[in-house]
Amino acid sequence: MFGNNNVMSYSQGDMELNCPQPMVAVSGAFKRYTSKSPILLRGFSMTVPTGAIYGLLGPSGCGKTTLLNCIVGNRRLDSGRVSLAINKRKDLGYMPQEVALNEEFTIEETFFFYGRLFDMSRAHVKARMKELLTFFDLPSEGFIGELSGGQQRRVSFAVALLHNPRLLILDEPTVGVDPVLCSRIWDALVKMAFEEKKTIIITTHYIEEARQCQLIGLMRGGVLLAEEPPLTLMASHNCNTLEQVFLELSQKQHEATNKSSEDLIESDIDYKKLTNQYFQPPLISSQIWKKSRFSAQLFKNVVWMKRNLPIMMFLLFLPFLLFTIYCSVFGKTPTGLSLGIVSEELGSMKDCQVNSSDQFFNYTDFNCYFDGPLSCLYLERLKEHDFNLIEFSKLETAQTALARNKVWGLLHFTSNYTVAVLERIDFGFDTAASVVRDGTVDVRLDMSDHVIGTSLQRIILNTYNDFIGEVYEACGSIAEAGKIPIKYHDAIYGGNEPLFSYTTLPGYLMSFSFYLPMLFTSGAIMLEKLSGLMERKMIAGMTMLEIVTAHAVVQIFILFCQTGIIFYTAYGIFDNPVEGDLYLLILLTFVNEISGMCYGFMLSEIYDSDTNCSYAGTGTVLGLFMTTGTLWPMEGAHPIMRSVMWFLPVNAAAISYHSIALRGYGISSPIVYNGFLSTLAWSAFFAIGAIVINKIRNGVR
């Protein structure tokens, strides 16, 4: 077919253009994308005879590509009808305006991918590939992304011819093609139409190139200006070139529409009436699942992963990095804090040489006295908590340091502190107010940081409680007599001194296990949509179910790896507590990741821009991150917000995770199984939402 380069031409009598059953018939077509967007097709009608080359000519934006998308069934007309003489996708060959090929594929992998879509045998694909590569003067090896722009378009053209279709639709096939090769391509197209009775619809910017078509349609503003053989058009308008004919017809249309705006208004009114009708688009796949198409998409996804190892390594390394940072930094008790000390009963803190409490304590049955200031003993107990104690000689100087954030807190001891403490023990209820005042440690704190401030309050108070107990015990009483009369028993859950990171880990883990699958899934789908791969595959017959399932298989594999890395990091390396069933936690995390994946699919249906999709996903997760108890418990939220937060995605899963990990609850607990049910419900909601949005926005898709 491609070996003969002899020029072939047709006269009008070489082909009967008025076939009983045209290959393509479009009648009364109206199309706009939104209620506010311009009307792209205004009652457009065209007829393409079987075995003819039909040249569709028109300026950019006139609706050519939209019309072709409606013909191949990728878009649904708002009104009108499209009839095709074929009823199988494999009888259609389509070359879009963009290249729409996988840049990570080699030329051979590209042919085998589309061969699988059309259920061709490997031997058949190999034979056709050899023939097409020779004709299009293409190398047999090399990646698509490494080819020149012209070579990529020739590969795209060859893919459209791979399965030998009866109807061939080519959108700008000769752009950037060498003139010699362009001539060969036109010779081959003419031969296919004449000898093999193939029907070819071709759009081109090179209007004179369309002289070789048997029929041309001149299109402007969504309207067909003329539909005749090129020689007939030029003769009837007394023009030497098709460009002159097009210019003359365009000027007449422009003058006609400018006479009155009522025509446009009437057109819009008619449009509104007609859009209430429903028209079945052509070539809707009756078989929504086919193994060969699914395996082709799965093959494509696996190859993409192999060719993008840095991205895959990043996706797998990111959980380890995130949870290493979290477990190393977040939620620990603050240490190394500076405390200012003003002790008027000490000459200097260097005078405090306390190795044990025994050298300080001497007591009788009724009275006790000490060999050194009691403030020394208290300060030694504070040093056990890794405080950096800074001594100041004057209270005013220390307060200035506190105001300038050189210290986080300030402790002031009076000159009579030790005597006053002992008198309080001796006199009990009869203690004078001045003695109480002198025996009190004045504490001033910088509470600008809530976590540090509350940690200081707790440590200073607990340390003082232990210190005063020692003093009472040294004075012949029991330690509890001097302590605050509140006794804490061992905690039911979480330990007596839990870290804040233990509490916030469930929310953090659930938030990121939702975010990472969403990020990868939406990114992968948007990549295919924006490059034109999605539309080309679906025009070839692949269904959304096959695409989503193949992506889900790859994503689930990645999820297994990410889940393993997350749990190994959080519980293997950093030994966070797990009171319940670890496998139940893994299952809950995996279900939450599935929910994130479904959300990614829905976002990719909502947005046509990868930037907007990324913003929406990141914004959502940030909102969830703030409502899962990671930053602050939900019980501290506003009552109205608190009632809403329980129903948001991830929240119920985070609460369930918390109860399993820190309370040891099982699946029989309502808190636990509600987390599973909520996550599954959101997964179903996102999946159904993606399907509904797909139907609303794209019709046939």
Side-chain angles (χ1 to χ4, degrees), residues 86-138:
I86 59 173
N87 53 21
K88 295 180 180 179
R89 288 278 177 182
K90 68 179 182 180
D91 290 329
L92 171 66
Y94 177 66
M95 176 187 174
Q97 195 169 24
E98 62 273 9
V99 175
L101 297 174
N102 297 281
E103 293 188 355
E104 295 84 5
F105 274 23
T106 63
I107 296 176
E108 183 178 7
E109 288 169 342
T110 299
F111 280 103
F112 279 114
F113 171 76
Y114 284 96
R116 287 190 187 186
L117 283 185
F118 294 107
D119 208 14
M120 298 171 63
S121 67
R122 192 172 184 86
H124 189 193
V125 172
K126 200 165 186 178
R128 286 288 292 165
M129 180 182 68
K130 184 177 180 181
E131 184 181 0
L132 291 166
L133 292 180
T134 301
F135 174 75
F136 283 104
D137 192 23
L138 289 167

Short mmCIF file of all heavy atoms in Angstrom, two decimals, residues 86-138:
data_model
loop_
_atom_site.label_atom_id
_atom_site.label_comp_id
_atom_site.label_asym_id
_atom_site.label_seq_id
_atom_site.Cartn_x
_atom_site.Cartn_y
_atom_site.Cartn_z
N ILE A 86 -20.18 3.01 10.20
CA ILE A 86 -19.47 1.99 10.99
C ILE A 86 -20.09 1.94 12.38
O ILE A 86 -20.70 2.90 12.84
CB ILE A 86 -17.97 2.31 11.09
CG1 ILE A 86 -17.75 3.68 11.74
CG2 ILE A 86 -17.30 2.25 9.73
CD1 ILE A 86 -16.31 4.00 12.04
N ASN A 87 -19.92 0.80 13.04
CA ASN A 87 -20.45 0.67 14.40
C ASN A 87 -19.45 0.08 15.38
O ASN A 87 -19.80 -0.25 16.51
CB ASN A 87 -21.72 -0.18 14.40
CG ASN A 87 -21.52 -1.52 13.71
OD1 ASN A 87 -20.39 -2.00 13.58
ND2 ASN A 87 -22.61 -2.12 13.25
N LYS A 88 -18.20 -0.08 14.92
CA LYS A 88 -17.17 -0.63 15.79
C LYS A 88 -16.01 0.36 15.89
O LYS A 88 -15.63 0.98 14.89
CB LYS A 88 -16.66 -1.96 15.25
CG LYS A 88 -17.72 -3.06 15.24
CD LYS A 88 -17.14 -4.35 14.69
CE LYS A 88 -18.19 -5.45 14.67
NZ LYS A 88 -17.64 -6.72 14.10
N ARG A 89 -15.46 0.45 17.10
CA ARG A 89 -14.33 1.36 17.31
C ARG A 89 -13.11 0.99 16.47
O ARG A 89 -12.34 1.85 16.05
CB ARG A 89 -13.94 1.36 18.79
CG ARG A 89 -14.94 2.06 19.69
CD ARG A 89 -14.72 3.54 19.67
NE ARG A 89 -15.70 4.25 20.48
CZ ARG A 89 -15.75 5.55 20.60
NH1 ARG A 89 -14.87 6.30 19.97
NH2 ARG A 89 -16.68 6.13 21.32
N LYS A 90 -12.91 -0.29 16.23
CA LYS A 90 -11.72 -0.70 15.49
C LYS A 90 -11.79 -0.30 14.01
O LYS A 90 -10.79 -0.38 13.29
CB LYS A 90 -11.51 -2.20 15.62
CG LYS A 90 -12.55 -3.05 14.94
CD LYS A 90 -12.21 -4.52 15.12
CE LYS A 90 -13.22 -5.43 14.40
NZ LYS A 90 -12.87 -6.86 14.58
N ASP A 91 -12.98 0.14 13.55
CA ASP A 91 -13.10 0.63 12.18
C ASP A 91 -12.77 2.12 12.08
O ASP A 91 -12.85 2.69 10.98
CB ASP A 91 -14.53 0.39 11.67
CG ASP A 91 -14.82 -1.08 11.43
OD1 ASP A 91 -13.87 -1.81 11.08
OD2 ASP A 91 -15.97 -1.50 11.61
N LEU A 92 -12.43 2.73 13.21
CA LEU A 92 -12.13 4.17 13.24
C LEU A 92 -10.66 4.39 13.57
O LEU A 92 -10.13 3.82 14.53
CB LEU A 92 -13.00 4.86 14.30
CG LEU A 92 -12.67 6.33 14.61
CD1 LEU A 92 -12.96 7.21 13.40
CD2 LEU A 92 -13.46 6.80 15.82
N GLY A 93 -10.01 5.21 12.76
CA GLY A 93 -8.65 5.64 13.05
C GLY A 93 -8.64 7.14 13.27
O GLY A 93 -9.21 7.89 12.47
N TYR A 94 -8.00 7.58 14.35
CA TYR A 94 -8.08 9.01 14.72
C TYR A 94 -6.71 9.54 15.07
O TYR A 94 -5.99 8.95 15.88
CB TYR A 94 -9.03 9.17 15.91
CG TYR A 94 -9.14 10.59 16.43
CD1 TYR A 94 -9.69 11.60 15.65
CD2 TYR A 94 -8.69 10.92 17.71
CE1 TYR A 94 -9.79 12.90 16.12
CE2 TYR A 94 -8.79 12.21 18.20
CZ TYR A 94 -9.34 13.19 17.40
OH TYR A 94 -9.44 14.48 17.87
N MET A 95 -6.36 10.64 14.45
CA MET A 95 -5.13 11.35 14.78
C MET A 95 -5.51 12.73 15.29
O MET A 95 -6.00 13.57 14.54
CB MET A 95 -4.23 11.49 13.56
CG MET A 95 -2.97 12.30 13.83
SD MET A 95 -2.03 12.63 12.33
CE MET A 95 -0.76 13.73 12.97
N PRO A 96 -5.31 13.01 16.59
CA PRO A 96 -5.69 14.32 17.14
C PRO A 96 -4.71 15.40 16.73
O PRO A 96 -3.63 15.13 16.17
CB PRO A 96 -5.65 14.08 18.65
CG PRO A 96 -4.65 13.00 18.83
CD PRO A 96 -4.77 12.12 17.62
N GLN A 97 -5.09 16.63 17.03
CA GLN A 97 -4.24 17.77 16.66
C GLN A 97 -2.94 17.76 17.45
O GLN A 97 -1.87 18.05 16.90
CB GLN A 97 -5.00 19.07 16.91
CG GLN A 97 -4.39 20.29 16.26
CD GLN A 97 -5.30 21.49 16.31
OE1 GLN A 97 -6.16 21.59 17.18
NE2 GLN A 97 -5.11 22.42 15.40
N GLU A 98 -3.02 17.44 18.76
CA GLU A 98 -1.79 17.29 19.53
C GLU A 98 -1.21 15.90 19.30
O GLU A 98 -1.88 15.02 18.77
CB GLU A 98 -2.05 17.51 21.02
CG GLU A 98 -3.01 16.52 21.65
CD GLU A 98 -4.45 16.94 21.52
OE1 GLU A 98 -4.74 17.92 20.79
OE2 GLU A 98 -5.31 16.27 22.11
N VAL A 99 0.04 15.70 19.69
CA VAL A 99 0.70 14.42 19.44
C VAL A 99 0.00 13.29 20.19
O VAL A 99 -0.27 12.22 19.66
CB VAL A 99 2.19 14.50 19.82
CG1 VAL A 99 2.85 13.14 19.69
CG2 VAL A 99 2.90 15.52 18.94
N ALA A 100 -0.29 13.51 21.48
CA ALA A 100 -1.05 12.55 22.30
C ALA A 100 -0.40 11.17 22.31
O ALA A 100 -1.04 10.15 22.06
CB ALA A 100 -2.49 12.46 21.83
N LEU A 101 0.90 11.11 22.58
CA LEU A 101 1.62 9.85 22.72
C LEU A 101 2.38 9.85 24.04
O LEU A 101 2.73 10.92 24.56
CB LEU A 101 2.60 9.66 21.56
CG LEU A 101 2.01 9.55 20.15
CD1 LEU A 101 3.13 9.50 19.11
CD2 LEU A 101 1.11 8.34 20.01
N ASN A 102 2.66 8.67 24.56
CA ASN A 102 3.43 8.55 25.79
C ASN A 102 4.91 8.80 25.51
O ASN A 102 5.54 8.00 24.80
CB ASN A 102 3.26 7.14 26.38
CG ASN A 102 1.82 6.86 26.76
OD1 ASN A 102 1.36 7.29 27.80
ND2 ASN A 102 1.12 6.12 25.92
N GLU A 103 5.43 9.88 26.05
CA GLU A 103 6.83 10.24 25.77
C GLU A 103 7.80 9.23 26.37
O GLU A 103 8.94 9.13 25.91
CB GLU A 103 7.13 11.64 26.30
CG GLU A 103 6.38 12.74 25.56
CD GLU A 103 6.84 14.12 25.97
OE1 GLU A 103 7.67 14.22 26.90
OE2 GLU A 103 6.39 15.11 25.34
N GLU A 104 7.38 8.50 27.40
CA GLU A 104 8.27 7.52 28.04
C GLU A 104 8.35 6.22 27.24
O GLU A 104 9.20 5.38 27.51
CB GLU A 104 7.78 7.19 29.46
CG GLU A 104 7.83 8.36 30.43
CD GLU A 104 6.60 9.25 30.32
OE1 GLU A 104 5.68 8.89 29.55
OE2 GLU A 104 6.57 10.29 31.00
N PHE A 105 7.45 6.04 26.26
CA PHE A 105 7.45 4.83 25.45
C PHE A 105 8.48 4.91 24.34
O PHE A 105 8.79 5.98 23.83
CB PHE A 105 6.08 4.63 24.81
CG PHE A 105 5.08 3.92 25.68
CD1 PHE A 105 5.20 3.91 27.05
CD2 PHE A 105 4.00 3.25 25.10
CE1 PHE A 105 4.27 3.27 27.84
CE2 PHE A 105 3.07 2.60 25.88
CZ PHE A 105 3.20 2.60 27.26
N THR A 106 8.99 3.74 23.94
CA THR A 106 9.74 3.65 22.70
C THR A 106 8.73 3.60 21.54
O THR A 106 7.53 3.42 21.75
CB THR A 106 10.63 2.41 22.67
OG1 THR A 106 9.78 1.24 22.72
CG2 THR A 106 11.58 2.39 23.85
N ILE A 107 9.22 3.74 20.34
CA ILE A 107 8.33 3.65 19.17
C ILE A 107 7.67 2.27 19.12
O ILE A 107 6.46 2.15 18.88
CB ILE A 107 9.13 3.92 17.88
CG1 ILE A 107 9.65 5.35 17.87
CG2 ILE A 107 8.28 3.64 16.64
CD1 ILE A 107 10.53 5.69 16.68
N GLU A 108 8.45 1.24 19.38
CA GLU A 108 7.89 -0.13 19.35
C GLU A 108 6.83 -0.31 20.43
O GLU A 108 5.75 -0.87 20.17
CB GLU A 108 9.02 -1.15 19.54
CG GLU A 108 8.55 -2.59 19.46
CD GLU A 108 9.69 -3.58 19.60
OE1 GLU A 108 10.83 -3.13 19.90
OE2 GLU A 108 9.45 -4.78 19.44
N GLU A 109 7.08 0.18 21.65
CA GLU A 109 6.10 0.06 22.73
C GLU A 109 4.82 0.83 22.40
O GLU A 109 3.72 0.38 22.74
CB GLU A 109 6.70 0.58 24.03
CG GLU A 109 7.76 -0.33 24.63
CD GLU A 109 8.53 0.33 25.76
OE1 GLU A 109 8.49 1.58 25.86
OE2 GLU A 109 9.18 -0.39 26.53
N THR A 110 4.97 1.95 21.69
CA THR A 110 3.79 2.73 21.30
C THR A 110 2.90 1.92 20.37
O THR A 110 1.67 1.86 20.54
CB THR A 110 4.21 4.03 20.61
OG1 THR A 110 4.99 4.81 21.52
CG2 THR A 110 3.00 4.83 20.18
N PHE A 111 3.50 1.27 19.38
CA PHE A 111 2.71 0.46 18.45
C PHE A 111 2.06 -0.73 19.15
O PHE A 111 0.90 -1.06 18.88
CB PHE A 111 3.59 -0.01 17.29
CG PHE A 111 3.80 1.04 16.23
CD1 PHE A 111 4.98 1.75 16.14
CD2 PHE A 111 2.79 1.32 15.32
CE1 PHE A 111 5.17 2.72 15.17
CE2 PHE A 111 2.97 2.29 14.34
CZ PHE A 111 4.17 2.99 14.27
N PHE A 112 2.80 -1.37 20.03
CA PHE A 112 2.23 -2.54 20.72
C PHE A 112 1.12 -2.12 21.68
O PHE A 112 0.16 -2.86 21.89
CB PHE A 112 3.33 -3.31 21.45
CG PHE A 112 4.11 -4.22 20.55
CD1 PHE A 112 5.45 -4.00 20.30
CD2 PHE A 112 3.49 -5.31 19.94
CE1 PHE A 112 6.16 -4.84 19.45
CE2 PHE A 112 4.20 -6.16 19.09
CZ PHE A 112 5.54 -5.92 18.84
N PHE A 113 1.25 -0.93 22.27
CA PHE A 113 0.20 -0.44 23.17
C PHE A 113 -1.11 -0.26 22.40
O PHE A 113 -2.16 -0.77 22.81
CB PHE A 113 0.63 0.89 23.80
CG PHE A 113 -0.47 1.58 24.56
CD1 PHE A 113 -0.85 1.14 25.81
CD2 PHE A 113 -1.12 2.68 24.02
CE1 PHE A 113 -1.87 1.77 26.52
CE2 PHE A 113 -2.12 3.34 24.72
CZ PHE A 113 -2.50 2.87 25.97
N TYR A 114 -1.06 0.44 21.27
CA TYR A 114 -2.29 0.65 20.50
C TYR A 114 -2.73 -0.62 19.80
O TYR A 114 -3.93 -0.82 19.54
CB TYR A 114 -2.09 1.80 19.52
CG TYR A 114 -2.13 3.14 20.20
CD1 TYR A 114 -0.97 3.79 20.58
CD2 TYR A 114 -3.35 3.74 20.51
CE1 TYR A 114 -1.01 5.02 21.23
CE2 TYR A 114 -3.40 4.96 21.17
CZ TYR A 114 -2.22 5.59 21.52
OH TYR A 114 -2.27 6.80 22.19
N GLY A 115 -1.79 -1.51 19.51
CA GLY A 115 -2.18 -2.81 18.95
C GLY A 115 -3.02 -3.60 19.94
O GLY A 115 -4.01 -4.25 19.56
N ARG A 116 -2.65 -3.55 21.22
CA ARG A 116 -3.45 -4.24 22.24
C ARG A 116 -4.84 -3.62 22.36
O ARG A 116 -5.82 -4.33 22.60
CB ARG A 116 -2.74 -4.17 23.59
CG ARG A 116 -1.53 -5.06 23.72
CD ARG A 116 -1.05 -5.12 25.16
NE ARG A 116 0.20 -5.83 25.30
CZ ARG A 116 0.77 -6.11 26.47
NH1 ARG A 116 0.19 -5.71 27.59
NH2 ARG A 116 1.91 -6.77 26.53
N LEU A 117 -4.91 -2.29 22.23
CA LEU A 117 -6.21 -1.64 22.32
C LEU A 117 -7.17 -2.18 21.25
O LEU A 117 -8.37 -2.32 21.50
CB LEU A 117 -6.06 -0.13 22.13
CG LEU A 117 -5.52 0.69 23.30
CD1 LEU A 117 -5.57 2.17 22.97
CD2 LEU A 117 -6.33 0.42 24.56
N PHE A 118 -6.62 -2.48 20.07
CA PHE A 118 -7.46 -2.98 18.97
C PHE A 118 -7.40 -4.50 18.86
O PHE A 118 -7.82 -5.06 17.84
CB PHE A 118 -7.02 -2.32 17.66
CG PHE A 118 -7.27 -0.84 17.62
CD1 PHE A 118 -6.22 0.06 17.72
CD2 PHE A 118 -8.55 -0.34 17.52
CE1 PHE A 118 -6.44 1.43 17.69
CE2 PHE A 118 -8.79 1.03 17.49
CZ PHE A 118 -7.73 1.92 17.58
N ASP A 119 -6.88 -5.14 19.89
CA ASP A 119 -6.87 -6.61 19.98
C ASP A 119 -6.14 -7.24 18.81
O ASP A 119 -6.54 -8.28 18.28
CB ASP A 119 -8.32 -7.13 20.05
CG ASP A 119 -8.41 -8.46 20.79
OD1 ASP A 119 -7.43 -8.82 21.47
OD2 ASP A 119 -9.45 -9.12 20.69
N MET A 120 -5.04 -6.62 18.41
CA MET A 120 -4.23 -7.16 17.33
C MET A 120 -3.19 -8.12 17.91
O MET A 120 -2.69 -7.92 19.02
CB MET A 120 -3.53 -6.02 16.57
CG MET A 120 -4.48 -5.06 15.89
SD MET A 120 -3.63 -3.58 15.23
CE MET A 120 -2.56 -4.33 14.00
N SER A 121 -2.84 -9.14 17.13
CA SER A 121 -1.81 -10.06 17.57
C SER A 121 -0.44 -9.39 17.50
O SER A 121 -0.25 -8.42 16.75
CB SER A 121 -1.81 -11.32 16.70
OG SER A 121 -1.40 -11.00 15.38
N ARG A 122 0.49 -9.92 18.26
CA ARG A 122 1.82 -9.32 18.28
C ARG A 122 2.49 -9.38 16.91
O ARG A 122 3.15 -8.43 16.48
CB ARG A 122 2.68 -10.04 19.33
CG ARG A 122 3.99 -9.33 19.65
CD ARG A 122 4.69 -9.98 20.82
NE ARG A 122 5.89 -9.24 21.18
CZ ARG A 122 5.93 -8.18 21.99
NH1 ARG A 122 4.81 -7.76 22.52
NH2 ARG A 122 7.05 -7.57 22.27
N ALA A 123 2.30 -10.52 16.21
CA ALA A 123 2.91 -10.67 14.88
C ALA A 123 2.31 -9.66 13.90
O ALA A 123 3.03 -9.08 13.07
CB ALA A 123 2.69 -12.09 14.38
N HIS A 124 0.98 -9.45 14.01
CA HIS A 124 0.32 -8.50 13.12
C HIS A 124 0.83 -7.09 13.38
O HIS A 124 1.08 -6.32 12.45
CB HIS A 124 -1.20 -8.58 13.31
CG HIS A 124 -1.97 -7.81 12.30
ND1 HIS A 124 -3.31 -7.52 12.43
CD2 HIS A 124 -1.58 -7.22 11.12
CE1 HIS A 124 -3.72 -6.82 11.39
NE2 HIS A 124 -2.68 -6.62 10.57
N VAL A 125 0.97 -6.73 14.65
CA VAL A 125 1.47 -5.40 15.01
C VAL A 125 2.88 -5.21 14.47
O VAL A 125 3.22 -4.15 13.92
CB VAL A 125 1.44 -5.20 16.53
CG1 VAL A 125 2.12 -3.89 16.92
CG2 VAL A 125 0.01 -5.19 17.05
N LYS A 126 3.70 -6.25 14.61
CA LYS A 126 5.09 -6.13 14.18
C LYS A 126 5.18 -5.92 12.66
O LYS A 126 5.99 -5.11 12.18
CB LYS A 126 5.85 -7.39 14.59
CG LYS A 126 7.35 -7.20 14.64
CD LYS A 126 8.02 -8.34 15.39
CE LYS A 126 9.51 -8.06 15.55
NZ LYS A 126 10.17 -9.14 16.33
N ALA A 127 4.34 -6.65 11.92
CA ALA A 127 4.36 -6.51 10.46
C ALA A 127 3.89 -5.12 10.04
O ALA A 127 4.50 -4.48 9.16
CB ALA A 127 3.48 -7.59 9.84
N ARG A 128 2.81 -4.63 10.64
CA ARG A 128 2.30 -3.31 10.30
C ARG A 128 3.28 -2.22 10.71
O ARG A 128 3.46 -1.22 9.99
CB ARG A 128 0.95 -3.08 10.99
CG ARG A 128 -0.19 -3.83 10.39
CD ARG A 128 -0.61 -3.26 9.05
NE ARG A 128 -1.21 -1.93 9.20
CZ ARG A 128 -1.40 -1.08 8.21
NH1 ARG A 128 -1.00 -1.39 6.99
NH2 ARG A 128 -1.96 0.10 8.41
N MET A 129 3.92 -2.39 11.86
CA MET A 129 4.89 -1.40 12.34
C MET A 129 6.05 -1.28 11.35
O MET A 129 6.47 -0.16 11.01
CB MET A 129 5.41 -1.81 13.71
CG MET A 129 6.43 -0.84 14.29
SD MET A 129 7.06 -1.37 15.90
CE MET A 129 7.99 -2.82 15.42
N LYS A 130 6.55 -2.39 10.87
CA LYS A 130 7.67 -2.36 9.92
C LYS A 130 7.27 -1.62 8.65
O LYS A 130 8.03 -0.79 8.11
CB LYS A 130 8.08 -3.79 9.60
CG LYS A 130 9.31 -3.87 8.69
CD LYS A 130 9.72 -5.31 8.47
CE LYS A 130 10.96 -5.39 7.57
NZ LYS A 130 11.36 -6.80 7.33
N GLU A 131 6.06 -1.87 8.18
CA GLU A 131 5.57 -1.22 6.96
C GLU A 131 5.41 0.29 7.17
O GLU A 131 5.82 1.10 6.31
CB GLU A 131 4.23 -1.85 6.57
CG GLU A 131 3.64 -1.34 5.28
CD GLU A 131 2.31 -1.99 4.96
OE1 GLU A 131 1.86 -2.83 5.76
OE2 GLU A 131 1.72 -1.65 3.92
N LEU A 132 4.83 0.67 8.30
CA LEU A 132 4.56 2.08 8.57
C LEU A 132 5.83 2.87 8.85
O LEU A 132 5.96 4.03 8.43
CB LEU A 132 3.59 2.22 9.75
CG LEU A 132 2.16 1.74 9.48
CD1 LEU A 132 1.38 1.60 10.78
CD2 LEU A 132 1.45 2.72 8.54
N LEU A 133 6.78 2.26 9.55
CA LEU A 133 8.04 2.95 9.83
C LEU A 133 8.80 3.24 8.55
O LEU A 133 9.42 4.30 8.40
CB LEU A 133 8.89 2.12 10.79
CG LEU A 133 8.39 1.97 12.23
CD1 LEU A 133 9.36 1.12 13.05
CD2 LEU A 133 8.20 3.33 12.88
N THR A 134 8.76 2.29 7.64
CA THR A 134 9.44 2.49 6.36
C THR A 134 8.79 3.62 5.57
O THR A 134 9.47 4.50 5.03
CB THR A 134 9.40 1.19 5.53
OG1 THR A 134 10.04 0.14 6.27
CG2 THR A 134 10.11 1.38 4.20
N PHE A 135 7.45 3.60 5.51
CA PHE A 135 6.76 4.62 4.73
C PHE A 135 6.96 6.02 5.32
O PHE A 135 7.21 6.97 4.58
CB PHE A 135 5.26 4.30 4.68
CG PHE A 135 4.46 5.38 4.00
CD1 PHE A 135 4.49 5.52 2.62
CD2 PHE A 135 3.72 6.27 4.74
CE1 PHE A 135 3.77 6.53 2.00
CE2 PHE A 135 3.00 7.28 4.12
CZ PHE A 135 3.02 7.41 2.74
N PHE A 136 6.87 6.15 6.63
CA PHE A 136 6.97 7.47 7.26
C PHE A 136 8.41 7.87 7.57
O PHE A 136 8.64 8.90 8.20
CB PHE A 136 6.15 7.49 8.56
CG PHE A 136 4.67 7.62 8.34
CD1 PHE A 136 3.86 6.52 8.49
CD2 PHE A 136 4.11 8.82 7.98
CE1 PHE A 136 2.48 6.62 8.28
CE2 PHE A 136 2.75 8.93 7.78
CZ PHE A 136 1.93 7.82 7.93
N ASP A 137 9.36 7.04 7.14
CA ASP A 137 10.78 7.37 7.31
C ASP A 137 11.10 7.63 8.78
O ASP A 137 11.68 8.65 9.15
CB ASP A 137 11.15 8.58 6.45
CG ASP A 137 12.65 8.80 6.37
OD1 ASP A 137 13.39 7.82 6.57
OD2 ASP A 137 13.08 9.94 6.13
N LEU A 138 10.71 6.65 9.61
CA LEU A 138 10.92 6.76 11.06
C LEU A 138 11.94 5.74 11.52
O LEU A 138 12.04 4.64 10.95
CB LEU A 138 9.59 6.52 11.80
CG LEU A 138 8.54 7.63 11.68
CD1 LEU A 138 7.20 7.13 12.18
CD2 LEU A 138 8.98 8.87 12.46
#
